[in-house]
Amino acid sequence: MRTYLLLIFCATLYGSNFVFGSLLLQEFPALHLSAYRLIISSVFLTGYLILSRCTIRLTTRDITYLIPIAFIGMLLHQVSFFTGLQTIDATTASLLLSLSPIFTAVLARVFLRESFTLRMAIGSLIALTGVFFVVSQGKGLHLSLTIGMGIMFICMLAFSGSTILMRKLTQKMDALQATAYSTLFGCLLVFPVAVWQEPDEQSSHSLGWWILLIGSALLIQGLCAIIWNKQICKVGAAKASVFLNLQPFVAMVLGYLILGNPVTFTQVGGSILIVGGVILSTLQNMSRYTSYNKVLTSKIK
């Protein structure tokens, strides 16, 4: 239960990233926004790693995983996320990224040999149906394919791929170490690209914007990344990714509270489907855990 609550906490922060990211894009260019957040989270994670004396000497195997994680999970994912948000709204972006549990589960089945049960499949479909109602507001999705949607689809694939790579890396390395080193590698990749693509960026932004940027970087790319990667080690990449279906629900609520976007009864119903689908997908492991505890208790007695 503690693991599931932590995954819900992470999914909530990831969902808020759509709204806060849209706000920050009003002030910062996309590439520099990615670079700034990675610099802040890298300093935080590396500093914590040094103070806690958890630094390690990287092996060839570690670097073999860290380089693609940095390229796919940091450079490709971060750049495509903020670039996509410039052309499509936060709710549509959250719908496209809600496809990641399905792709992650398929990749986890192929590369990690993780199980993908019928209950997980049904729960994912129910949650995805709820996502549809949250985004479409019951009117149907009359969307034509745009460049922004294609970019966000690439972002979704990058997140799923990096989740699998991180799962492999954390089999031999602590989640904190894996998160810190991969973020640092990603920072070294994103910053030169940002300077090259957007050389005229001015850093004279108001204090409020910097506070929002620093806070989102520390919470979403720092603390949340550590928690998420650690929980993946406990429940697997496929099951953890199911919780990402909560993102559109969070984006809808925060969009109403912060941006003033209206919420319809259809969206509320869709949100209930999302939560129900997530519960259904995770209920099987909970019941097994309860049964195991009962058997263990009876043996002790």
Side-chain angles (χ1 to χ4, degrees):
M1 180 59 68
R2 179 177 180 273
T3 295
Y4 290 144
L5 290 176
L6 288 173
L7 289 172
I8 291 174
F9 171 75
C10 291
T12 302
L13 287 181
Y14 284 145
S16 68
N17 198 31
F18 294 98
V19 176
F20 294 138
S22 298
L23 290 174
L24 288 169
L25 283 171
Q26 299 175 11
E27 184 71 12
F28 298 93
L31 291 178
H32 275 78
L33 177 58
S34 301
Y36 291 151
R37 287 178 49 156
L38 283 174
I39 290 173
I40 294 168
S41 55
S42 295
V43 172
F44 167 74
L45 292 171
T46 305
Y48 185 83
L49 205 63
I50 294 173
L51 292 176
S52 58
R53 298 181 180 180
C54 294
T55 56
I56 60 172
R57 183 183 297 274
L58 296 178
T59 65
T60 303
R61 177 191 178 278
D62 297 333
I63 297 176
T64 302
Y65 282 106
L66 283 171
I67 291 178
I69 287 175
F71 181 80
I72 298 173
M74 299 296 169
L75 178 61
L76 186 59
H77 176 260
Q78 289 291 319
V79 172
S80 59
F81 178 80
F82 289 112
T83 303
L85 277 181
Q86 289 181 309
T87 55
I88 60 176
D89 60 274
T91 356
T92 304
S94 65
L95 170 64
L96 292 173
L97 286 187
S98 291
L99 296 174
S100 60
I102 299 175
F103 283 87
T104 302
V106 172
L107 292 175
R109 176 60 180 170
V110 174
F111 295 103
L112 302 178
R113 304 299 181 184
E114 292 184 5
S115 62
F116 187 72
T117 64
L118 179 62
R119 186 188 296 270
M120 290 175 63
I122 295 175
S124 297
L125 289 176
I126 293 175
L128 196 58
T129 303
V131 168
F132 174 84
F133 284 113
V134 168
V135 176
S136 67
Q137 303 180 35
K139 300 176 182 178
L141 287 179
H142 304 290
L143 297 175
S144 58
L145 293 178
T146 62
I147 295 179
M149 293 178 65
I151 292 175
M152 197 56 68
F153 188 79
I154 293 175
C155 176
M156 180 273 298
L157 291 177
F159 183 87
S160 298
S162 63
T163 299
I164 301 301
L165 291 171
M166 182 60 72
R167 179 70 180 94
K168 294 288 289 184
L169 180 62
T170 51
Q171 290 176 351
K172 297 293 183 179
M173 184 186 295
D174 181 74
L176 171 61
Q177 297 167 341
T179 305
Y181 286 119
S182 61
T183 305
L184 180 59
F185 274 53
C187 178
L188 296 176
L189 285 176
V190 174
F191 185 75
V193 174
V195 174
W196 176 56
Q197 288 289 333
E198 299 167 343
D200 299 327
E201 156 65 1
Q202 302 294 327
S203 58
S204 57
H205 305 285
S206 64
L207 180 61
W209 287 112
W210 283 113
I211 292 175
L212 180 60
L213 190 153
I214 294 173
S216 63
L218 292 178
L219 286 176
I220 298 173
Q221 290 185 245
L223 178 62
C224 188
I226 296 174
I227 296 174
W228 180 265
N229 293 334
K230 189 172 183 179
Q231 305 318 305
I232 286 178
C233 301
K234 297 181 178 180
V235 299
K239 186 167 289 294
S241 65
V242 173
F243 287 85
L244 297 176
N245 286 305
L246 295 171
Q247 291 180 110
F249 169 69
V250 176
M252 178 193 68
V253 173
L254 290 181
Y256 171 76
L257 295 175
I258 297 176
L259 304 177
N261 296 334
V263 177
T264 64
F265 286 107
T266 304
Q267 288 179 305
V268 174
S271 302
I272 295 174
L273 287 177
I274 293 174
V275 176
V278 172
I279 292 175
L280 179 63
S281 299
T282 57
L283 188 61
Q284 189 175 25
N285 270 12
M286 288 297 295
S287 61
R288 288 179 179 177
Y289 176 76
T290 304
S291 300
Y292 172 78
N293 275 346
K294 289 181 178 179
V295 172
L296 183 63
T297 303
S298 61
K299 287 183 177 181
I300 293 176
K301 290 181 178 179

